[in-house]
Amino acid sequence: MSRTRVRLAATGAAVVLAVTGLSGAAAADTTVTTTPPTGQAVITSDLTFLQNAVTNGIVIVPLPPATPAYADTTGLTTTLPVSGGVANIPAFNGDIQFGGDLLFVNIATGKTVIFKQLDLVINKGKFFAVPDGATAPVALLDPAGRVSVGRNGTAQTLNTTGLKVDAAAAQYLDTNLGTTFFTAGQSIGSLAVTYTPGS
């Protein structure tokens, strides 16, 4: 074997050793860190919906890490922090997952429903959630009304003037809470989403 071929072979072996990281120190030096996505969804339940719900004995309670706030003029706002997902809102694809659960209580019957794992699937235009004790997601809420999307650097936004109860959720809630209050397309309020992808 010529000296040139020996040098090339030696160089190739060194590259393979470096790439495969046979030493622990080399592996530690190439550790990649990732940043999770951030943002939130703010669901505003207007006064009309809240008054009708209470009149029918229905109470909705956001559970941590969701945070509620109430104002006499605007109603109840529920802030859900982004917990995962990959989405491109302006391109209408991907999904955004949120932390926090929603507890529905029928005071008259004492029955409850908890929705977990809220997931906004962008191209379907729906919030899905998994009822406690189940595995299959249920279509929960449908953004409606005037929809606006935007991007500022890496931050993305989705705002809708309407938010409605999905037909699947209305049937599930009425059945499991023992009520006839929920209906398909029932208006709840509005939605504002901010989302910055992870890196």
Side-chain angles (χ1 to χ4, degrees):
M1 182 182 290
S2 70
R3 287 184 186 142
T4 301
R5 293 182 64 187
V6 169
R7 282 197 300 272
L8 289 174
T11 302
V15 170
V16 169
L17 288 173
V19 170
T20 55
L22 293 181
S23 82
D29 291 341
T30 58
T31 300
V32 177
T33 59
T34 59
T35 303
T38 59
Q40 63 187 22
V42 179
I43 296 172
T44 300
S45 303
D46 61 38
L47 292 173
T48 300
F49 173 76
L50 292 174
Q51 290 166 356
N52 289 337
V54 171
T55 300
N56 285 272
I58 303 298
V59 176
I60 304 168
V61 181
L63 300 178
T67 55
Y70 181 81
D72 290 337
T73 54
T74 56
L76 176 70
T77 58
T78 299
T79 301
L80 304 160
V82 169
S83 61
V86 177
N88 185 334
I89 296 175
F92 290 97
N93 62 49
D95 76 300
I96 307 171
Q97 297 146 19
F98 298 92
D101 305 333
L102 297 177
L103 167 64
F104 293 75
V105 181
N106 185 342
I107 296 173
T109 63
K111 294 182 177 180
T112 63
V113 169
I114 298 177
F115 280 108
K116 300 173 173 287
Q117 302 173 33
L118 271 74
D119 189 1
L120 176 58
V121 180
I122 305 298
N123 65 333
K124 292 185 177 180
K126 293 178 185 288
F127 270 100
F128 290 85
V130 179
D132 190 32
T135 55
V138 172
L140 183 60
L141 298 170
D142 305 332
R146 291 191 304 276
V147 178
S148 62
V149 299
R151 185 193 301 274
N152 183 4
T154 58
Q156 305 171 27
T157 58
L158 168 67
N159 295 285
T160 70
T161 58
L163 189 61
K164 297 184 176 182
V165 176
D166 191 89
Q171 181 179 12
Y172 188 93
L173 287 165
D174 279 346
T175 299
N176 289 275
L177 292 176
T179 182
T180 57
F181 170 68
F182 294 96
T183 58
Q186 185 175 29
S187 178
I188 286 182
S190 60
L191 172 69
V193 176
T194 58
Y195 168 76
T196 300
S199 59

